[in-house]
Amino acid sequence: MAIIHELSSHLADLIAAGEVVERPASVAKELIENAIDAGSTRITVEIENGGISYLRIADNGCGMSEEDAPIAFRRHATSKLRTEEDLMAIGTLGFRGEALAAISSVTRIDLFTRQKGAIAGIHLHLEAGEIQTQEEAGCPEGTTIVVRDLFYNTPARMKFLKKDFTEAGYILGVVQHAALSHPEIAFCLIRDGKQVFSTDGKGKLMAPVFAVFGKEMTANMIEVPQSERNGMTVYGYIVKPHVGRPNRSMQHFFVNGRYVKSRLMQAALEEAYRNAMITGKYPSGAVFLELPLAAVDVNVHPAKTEVKFSQEKPVFEAVYAACKNAIAANDNIPNFTHQEKQTVIEKPKEAIPVYQQQRFAVSKPETSISATGKKLDTPELEDFFVAVPPRAKKPSLSGTYLSAPRIIQEDRSETISYHSFDAPPSEPKKVDVAQSTPNIGVKREAVTESHPAPTLEPLDSGARVIGECFQTYLIAEDQDGLIIIDKHAAHERLLFNKLRQETEIPQQELLTPVIVELTAEEAAAVQAGIEEIHQAGFSIDGFGENSFAVRSVPAYLDNADISDAIGELAEKLMNSRTAIPDRLDDLIHTVACKAAIKAGKASTLTELQDLCDRVLADGDVQSCPHGRPTTVRLTKYELDKMFKRVNQ
């Protein structure tokens, strides 16, 4: 009896669907590519429930005839390939003829299509790949495909889908990539009845770049002008070297109008920033590569997101040279804008003593005419007086606990207690913010003039701090020899151990929430892992499309590190496949790394001595969470051997 048999057409379609259709974003990608290949100038994407229950793609392309529409849903049916030679030079986004057949096998589809000049269009309704209805219909020119109930006949695959917000974020990423690669097409994405993304389709690349990267990042971008090298053309937009990100999520690469994931182009871009961008940061931008069709093979991945170049070195050189020249040709100076709040101050009714008055000059707009006849706004000075209270004889101890804990110098007049690496008080307490010094995780208690807090004795490890070198390594001595401690690595491990032991990580509330902008994929990952981020010590909630408002942070974290910390948390949530407790450790590690004292930052002897005592007193600070050693010991005997004081 034969054991090899031919699979049924339906089962073969299901297998193909497993390769092509991974999630709603896969369906959107294939249908958008078909719409682009059809010559559309306007594409609208509408989704509900993350695209799982409803996904509509409408375009104004060439449409399909009554004869072609049913054939389009058969396997390996395509209008883009004719011969084997065509496979060697693929110029369209789609070419295999598998997408519609695979999508229709696991969904319910309604197709409305009409060719230009045709009196009526055609409507097809399919379920599980089988045509249920075929009839004439009145519809606009182009093609509209409505996909409902993804994986309705394969429920086992439904459990692999994520939350609606996450799936919608992936679809937004697909639309953004299509908009970047084809600025001549107007794109619109509607999610649950609300428009969340759109481009004008006027052909200028800056429009989709602004829509994808946002106002702040676009303001710090430089153009990569079209440059030809080795028969290839490179152009795009990249960020200035000071605008580094903690991950590569904002790097977009395109080859002949197709979004790809290319390690080669990624390496070329990052090499162009060598010695210009801080270590540990990555550049962002959209880089486009145009080259002969025969020089690249796009048929190497089911999702067509990976390509293979016939010659990699010329591609690397072309991308590297174009980006390097663009960086060198610009001033690369950060763009900072500050808008003063305009407040109207009325003159007080009662007379103010002369010693309490100060004179100010403010700008008052006045319209004038330039030599060319154009109206200009020139300032005119106007005087007014503002009441200023007399200087106090003794400064009051006021302020709110806003940043990481600080070490207090020993020559202060007030008596202040501190506990290393403790959490800040749950209630905001008054501290002298103006006299605070750089922190290494030490907390200051409340200060009052009438009831000074008792001073706690610091730890004593028996080692005496001599100083530091390169503002990175602490140097101490004890009876056995020299001790060299990596300040950042040691402090990072201390904080990591402390945070892991906390049942609830102490937080400090921000006076003003910090708004963090993320990519669609990062925002989806953060939304899916919001509970774990809360456990890591952050209070965060949604603030518009792909934005989050951070309202409180772990007590040890500096405010300047909040955006980078959220970006790194998003990347770890995107890439982590470990269990939830391990993922939480990863998030805590990120917090500890950002909160730890930075290498290259000078510290006082008091800070160094406190850090040294705590590192040597804790036997679990042998290495940082990255695995790098924290302490190196050089014994007196080894020193004597170096200087020939003992026999070898």
Side-chain angles (χ1 to χ4, degrees), residues 410-451:
E410 293 140 347
D411 57 351
R412 301 291 167 85
S413 58
E414 295 87 8
T415 304
I416 299 172
S417 67
Y418 62 94
H419 303 272
S420 295
F421 312 108
D422 283 350
S426 57
E427 294 288 333
K429 297 188 178 182
K430 301 297 183 179
V431 297
D432 190 354
V433 177
Q435 297 184 359
S436 61
T437 55
N439 83 89
I440 59 168
V442 181
K443 167 194 164 182
R444 227 171 27 162
E445 298 291 351
V447 179
T448 58
E449 297 182 22
S450 57
H451 302 285

Short mmCIF file of all heavy atoms in Angstrom, two decimals, residues 410-451:
data_model
loop_
_atom_site.label_atom_id
_atom_site.label_comp_id
_atom_site.label_asym_id
_atom_site.label_seq_id
_atom_site.Cartn_x
_atom_site.Cartn_y
_atom_site.Cartn_z
N GLU A 410 30.21 66.54 54.64
CA GLU A 410 30.32 66.50 56.09
C GLU A 410 30.41 67.89 56.72
O GLU A 410 30.23 68.05 57.91
CB GLU A 410 31.55 65.69 56.47
CG GLU A 410 31.41 64.24 56.11
CD GLU A 410 32.67 63.65 55.55
OE1 GLU A 410 33.58 64.40 55.22
OE2 GLU A 410 32.75 62.44 55.48
N ASP A 411 30.66 68.93 55.88
CA ASP A 411 30.84 70.25 56.46
C ASP A 411 29.53 71.05 56.49
O ASP A 411 29.54 72.26 56.62
CB ASP A 411 31.89 71.03 55.69
CG ASP A 411 31.52 71.14 54.22
OD1 ASP A 411 30.54 70.47 53.80
OD2 ASP A 411 32.20 71.89 53.50
N ARG A 412 28.38 70.37 56.37
CA ARG A 412 27.11 71.07 56.43
C ARG A 412 26.83 71.50 57.87
O ARG A 412 27.18 70.82 58.82
CB ARG A 412 25.99 70.17 55.91
CG ARG A 412 26.20 69.72 54.50
CD ARG A 412 26.07 70.89 53.54
NE ARG A 412 26.56 70.54 52.23
CZ ARG A 412 25.83 69.94 51.32
NH1 ARG A 412 24.61 69.60 51.60
NH2 ARG A 412 26.35 69.69 50.14
N SER A 413 26.11 72.61 57.97
CA SER A 413 25.77 73.10 59.30
C SER A 413 24.66 72.26 59.93
O SER A 413 24.61 72.09 61.13
CB SER A 413 25.32 74.56 59.21
OG SER A 413 24.22 74.67 58.33
N GLU A 414 23.75 71.72 59.11
CA GLU A 414 22.68 70.90 59.65
C GLU A 414 23.14 69.46 59.77
O GLU A 414 23.98 68.98 59.02
CB GLU A 414 21.44 70.95 58.73
CG GLU A 414 20.80 72.32 58.66
CD GLU A 414 21.46 73.16 57.59
OE1 GLU A 414 22.29 72.60 56.84
OE2 GLU A 414 21.18 74.36 57.52
N THR A 415 22.59 68.75 60.74
CA THR A 415 22.90 67.33 60.92
C THR A 415 21.93 66.52 60.08
O THR A 415 20.74 66.65 60.22
CB THR A 415 22.76 66.93 62.39
OG1 THR A 415 23.59 67.77 63.16
CG2 THR A 415 23.15 65.47 62.59
N ILE A 416 22.45 65.67 59.19
CA ILE A 416 21.62 64.94 58.23
C ILE A 416 21.99 63.48 58.29
O ILE A 416 23.17 63.11 58.33
CB ILE A 416 21.85 65.48 56.79
CG1 ILE A 416 21.47 66.96 56.73
CG2 ILE A 416 21.06 64.67 55.77
CD1 ILE A 416 21.84 67.62 55.45
N SER A 417 20.98 62.63 58.30
CA SER A 417 21.23 61.19 58.31
C SER A 417 21.10 60.64 56.91
O SER A 417 20.37 61.17 56.09
CB SER A 417 20.23 60.49 59.23
OG SER A 417 18.93 60.58 58.69
N TYR A 418 21.83 59.59 56.62
CA TYR A 418 21.71 58.97 55.30
C TYR A 418 21.91 57.47 55.43
O TYR A 418 22.64 57.00 56.28
CB TYR A 418 22.70 59.57 54.31
CG TYR A 418 24.16 59.39 54.64
CD1 TYR A 418 24.87 58.31 54.12
CD2 TYR A 418 24.81 60.30 55.47
CE1 TYR A 418 26.21 58.14 54.43
CE2 TYR A 418 26.15 60.13 55.77
CZ TYR A 418 26.84 59.05 55.25
OH TYR A 418 28.16 58.88 55.53
N HIS A 419 21.21 56.75 54.59
CA HIS A 419 21.31 55.31 54.52
C HIS A 419 21.57 54.94 53.08
O HIS A 419 20.80 55.30 52.21
CB HIS A 419 20.02 54.63 54.98
CG HIS A 419 19.62 55.02 56.37
ND1 HIS A 419 20.07 54.35 57.48
CD2 HIS A 419 18.82 56.02 56.82
CE1 HIS A 419 19.55 54.91 58.57
NE2 HIS A 419 18.79 55.91 58.19
N SER A 420 22.64 54.23 52.80
CA SER A 420 22.97 53.91 51.41
C SER A 420 21.93 52.98 50.81
O SER A 420 21.53 52.01 51.43
CB SER A 420 24.35 53.25 51.34
OG SER A 420 25.33 54.16 51.75
N PHE A 421 21.53 53.31 49.58
CA PHE A 421 20.69 52.45 48.74
C PHE A 421 19.33 52.16 49.38
O PHE A 421 18.73 51.14 49.14
CB PHE A 421 21.40 51.14 48.40
CG PHE A 421 22.79 51.36 47.93
CD1 PHE A 421 23.89 51.04 48.70
CD2 PHE A 421 22.99 51.93 46.69
CE1 PHE A 421 25.16 51.27 48.25
CE2 PHE A 421 24.27 52.15 46.22
CZ PHE A 421 25.35 51.83 47.00
N ASP A 422 18.85 53.04 50.22
CA ASP A 422 17.50 52.89 50.75
C ASP A 422 16.52 53.57 49.82
O ASP A 422 16.88 54.40 49.01
CB ASP A 422 17.39 53.52 52.15
CG ASP A 422 18.03 52.62 53.20
OD1 ASP A 422 18.35 51.48 52.83
OD2 ASP A 422 18.21 53.06 54.34
N ALA A 423 15.25 53.25 50.00
CA ALA A 423 14.19 53.88 49.21
C ALA A 423 13.91 55.26 49.77
O ALA A 423 14.11 55.52 50.94
CB ALA A 423 12.93 53.03 49.25
N PRO A 424 13.41 56.20 48.93
CA PRO A 424 13.02 57.52 49.44
C PRO A 424 11.76 57.40 50.27
O PRO A 424 11.04 56.41 50.18
CB PRO A 424 12.76 58.31 48.15
CG PRO A 424 12.37 57.28 47.17
CD PRO A 424 13.18 56.06 47.53
N PRO A 425 11.48 58.37 51.10
CA PRO A 425 10.28 58.29 51.93
C PRO A 425 9.03 58.28 51.07
O PRO A 425 9.01 58.85 50.00
CB PRO A 425 10.36 59.58 52.77
CG PRO A 425 11.26 60.49 51.99
CD PRO A 425 12.23 59.60 51.29
N SER A 426 8.00 57.60 51.58
CA SER A 426 6.75 57.52 50.84
C SER A 426 6.08 58.88 50.74
O SER A 426 5.45 59.20 49.75
CB SER A 426 5.80 56.52 51.50
OG SER A 426 5.57 56.90 52.86
N GLU A 427 6.20 59.70 51.78
CA GLU A 427 5.66 61.05 51.75
C GLU A 427 6.76 62.01 51.32
O GLU A 427 7.90 61.90 51.77
CB GLU A 427 5.15 61.45 53.14
CG GLU A 427 3.96 60.62 53.60
CD GLU A 427 2.72 61.00 52.83
OE1 GLU A 427 2.65 62.16 52.38
OE2 GLU A 427 1.83 60.15 52.68
N PRO A 428 6.49 62.98 50.41
CA PRO A 428 7.52 63.94 50.04
C PRO A 428 8.01 64.71 51.26
O PRO A 428 7.22 65.25 52.02
CB PRO A 428 6.79 64.85 49.04
CG PRO A 428 5.62 64.05 48.57
CD PRO A 428 5.23 63.19 49.73
N LYS A 429 9.33 64.75 51.44
CA LYS A 429 9.91 65.45 52.59
C LYS A 429 10.78 66.59 52.11
O LYS A 429 11.28 66.60 50.99
CB LYS A 429 10.72 64.48 53.45
CG LYS A 429 9.83 63.38 54.05
CD LYS A 429 10.58 62.54 55.05
CE LYS A 429 9.69 61.48 55.67
NZ LYS A 429 10.37 60.68 56.68
N LYS A 430 11.03 67.51 53.00
CA LYS A 430 11.78 68.71 52.65
C LYS A 430 13.27 68.44 52.75
O LYS A 430 13.77 67.99 53.77
CB LYS A 430 11.40 69.86 53.59
CG LYS A 430 9.91 70.22 53.54
CD LYS A 430 9.51 70.72 52.16
CE LYS A 430 8.06 71.15 52.12
NZ LYS A 430 7.66 71.64 50.81
N VAL A 431 13.98 68.75 51.67
CA VAL A 431 15.43 68.60 51.66
C VAL A 431 16.02 69.84 51.03
O VAL A 431 15.35 70.61 50.34
CB VAL A 431 15.86 67.35 50.86
CG1 VAL A 431 15.34 66.09 51.51
CG2 VAL A 431 15.39 67.44 49.44
N ASP A 432 17.29 70.03 51.25
CA ASP A 432 18.00 71.17 50.69
C ASP A 432 18.50 70.79 49.31
O ASP A 432 19.60 70.30 49.15
CB ASP A 432 19.15 71.55 51.61
CG ASP A 432 19.76 72.88 51.17
OD1 ASP A 432 19.34 73.39 50.12
OD2 ASP A 432 20.63 73.38 51.89
N VAL A 433 17.67 71.01 48.28
CA VAL A 433 18.03 70.58 46.93
C VAL A 433 19.22 71.36 46.40
O VAL A 433 20.06 70.85 45.68
CB VAL A 433 16.80 70.73 46.00
CG1 VAL A 433 17.15 70.37 44.58
CG2 VAL A 433 15.67 69.85 46.51
N ALA A 434 19.30 72.63 46.76
CA ALA A 434 20.35 73.47 46.20
C ALA A 434 21.73 73.02 46.59
O ALA A 434 22.70 73.27 45.89
CB ALA A 434 20.13 74.92 46.64
N GLN A 435 21.87 72.33 47.73
CA GLN A 435 23.19 71.95 48.20
C GLN A 435 23.48 70.47 47.96
O GLN A 435 24.42 69.92 48.52
CB GLN A 435 23.31 72.25 49.69
CG GLN A 435 23.19 73.73 50.02
CD GLN A 435 23.40 74.00 51.49
OE1 GLN A 435 23.61 73.08 52.26
NE2 GLN A 435 23.35 75.26 51.87
N SER A 436 22.67 69.81 47.16
CA SER A 436 22.89 68.38 46.92
C SER A 436 24.09 68.17 46.02
O SER A 436 24.47 69.03 45.26
CB SER A 436 21.65 67.75 46.31
OG SER A 436 21.38 68.36 45.07
N THR A 437 24.69 66.99 46.13
CA THR A 437 25.87 66.64 45.36
C THR A 437 25.60 65.39 44.57
O THR A 437 24.62 64.70 44.79
CB THR A 437 27.07 66.41 46.29
OG1 THR A 437 26.68 65.42 47.24
CG2 THR A 437 27.45 67.67 47.02
N PRO A 438 26.46 65.03 43.57
CA PRO A 438 26.21 63.83 42.77
C PRO A 438 25.98 62.61 43.64
O PRO A 438 26.63 62.41 44.66
CB PRO A 438 27.49 63.69 41.94
CG PRO A 438 28.01 65.08 41.85
CD PRO A 438 27.67 65.72 43.16
N ASN A 439 25.01 61.75 43.20
CA ASN A 439 24.61 60.63 44.04
C ASN A 439 25.26 59.35 43.60
O ASN A 439 25.62 59.17 42.45
CB ASN A 439 23.10 60.47 43.99
CG ASN A 439 22.66 59.69 42.78
OD1 ASN A 439 22.57 58.46 42.84
ND2 ASN A 439 22.43 60.38 41.67
N ILE A 440 25.38 58.43 44.53
CA ILE A 440 25.70 57.04 44.20
C ILE A 440 24.71 56.14 44.92
O ILE A 440 25.03 55.07 45.39
CB ILE A 440 27.14 56.67 44.58
CG1 ILE A 440 27.38 56.88 46.08
CG2 ILE A 440 28.15 57.40 43.77
CD1 ILE A 440 28.68 56.28 46.57
N GLY A 441 23.48 56.62 45.01
CA GLY A 441 22.42 55.80 45.59
C GLY A 441 22.24 55.99 47.07
O GLY A 441 21.78 55.11 47.76
N VAL A 442 22.60 57.14 47.63
CA VAL A 442 22.49 57.36 49.06
C VAL A 442 21.35 58.32 49.32
O VAL A 442 21.17 59.30 48.62
CB VAL A 442 23.80 57.95 49.62
CG1 VAL A 442 23.71 58.16 51.11
CG2 VAL A 442 24.93 57.01 49.30
N LYS A 443 20.58 58.08 50.33
CA LYS A 443 19.35 58.81 50.60
C LYS A 443 19.51 59.78 51.76
O LYS A 443 20.14 59.49 52.74
CB LYS A 443 18.23 57.82 50.88
CG LYS A 443 17.01 58.47 51.47
CD LYS A 443 16.12 57.40 52.02
CE LYS A 443 15.11 58.02 52.92
NZ LYS A 443 14.26 57.04 53.52
N ARG A 444 18.87 60.91 51.61
CA ARG A 444 18.85 61.92 52.64
C ARG A 444 17.50 61.96 53.32
O ARG A 444 16.48 61.93 52.66
CB ARG A 444 19.10 63.28 52.00
CG ARG A 444 20.10 64.09 52.71
CD ARG A 444 20.50 65.32 51.98
NE ARG A 444 19.53 65.87 51.08
CZ ARG A 444 19.59 67.09 50.65
NH1 ARG A 444 20.55 67.87 51.04
NH2 ARG A 444 18.72 67.55 49.81
N GLU A 445 17.48 61.98 54.62
CA GLU A 445 16.22 62.06 55.34
C GLU A 445 15.79 63.53 55.46
O GLU A 445 16.50 64.45 55.05
CB GLU A 445 16.36 61.45 56.74
CG GLU A 445 16.71 59.98 56.72
CD GLU A 445 15.55 59.13 56.21
OE1 GLU A 445 14.43 59.67 56.05
OE2 GLU A 445 15.76 57.94 55.96
N ALA A 446 14.64 63.75 56.04
CA ALA A 446 14.13 65.10 56.19
C ALA A 446 15.03 65.92 57.12
O ALA A 446 15.63 65.41 58.05
CB ALA A 446 12.72 65.06 56.75
N VAL A 447 15.11 67.22 56.82
CA VAL A 447 15.96 68.11 57.61
C VAL A 447 15.07 69.14 58.27
O VAL A 447 14.28 69.81 57.63
CB VAL A 447 16.98 68.82 56.69
CG1 VAL A 447 17.83 69.76 57.52
CG2 VAL A 447 17.84 67.79 56.01
N THR A 448 15.19 69.28 59.54
CA THR A 448 14.46 70.31 60.27
C THR A 448 15.43 70.98 61.23
O THR A 448 16.33 70.35 61.77
CB THR A 448 13.28 69.72 61.06
OG1 THR A 448 13.79 68.73 61.97
CG2 THR A 448 12.28 69.05 60.12
N GLU A 449 15.20 72.25 61.45
CA GLU A 449 16.11 72.99 62.31
C GLU A 449 15.88 72.66 63.78
O GLU A 449 16.80 72.65 64.58
CB GLU A 449 15.93 74.49 62.06
CG GLU A 449 16.31 74.89 60.63
CD GLU A 449 16.16 76.39 60.45
OE1 GLU A 449 16.20 77.12 61.46
OE2 GLU A 449 16.03 76.84 59.31
N SER A 450 14.63 72.37 64.13
CA SER A 450 14.33 72.16 65.54
C SER A 450 14.61 70.73 66.00
O SER A 450 14.92 70.51 67.15
CB SER A 450 12.86 72.51 65.80
OG SER A 450 12.03 71.73 64.96
N HIS A 451 14.46 69.75 65.08
CA HIS A 451 14.64 68.36 65.44
C HIS A 451 15.58 67.68 64.46
O HIS A 451 15.15 67.01 63.53
CB HIS A 451 13.28 67.63 65.46
CG HIS A 451 12.30 68.25 66.39
ND1 HIS A 451 12.38 68.10 67.75
CD2 HIS A 451 11.23 69.05 66.14
CE1 HIS A 451 11.37 68.76 68.33
NE2 HIS A 451 10.67 69.35 67.36
#
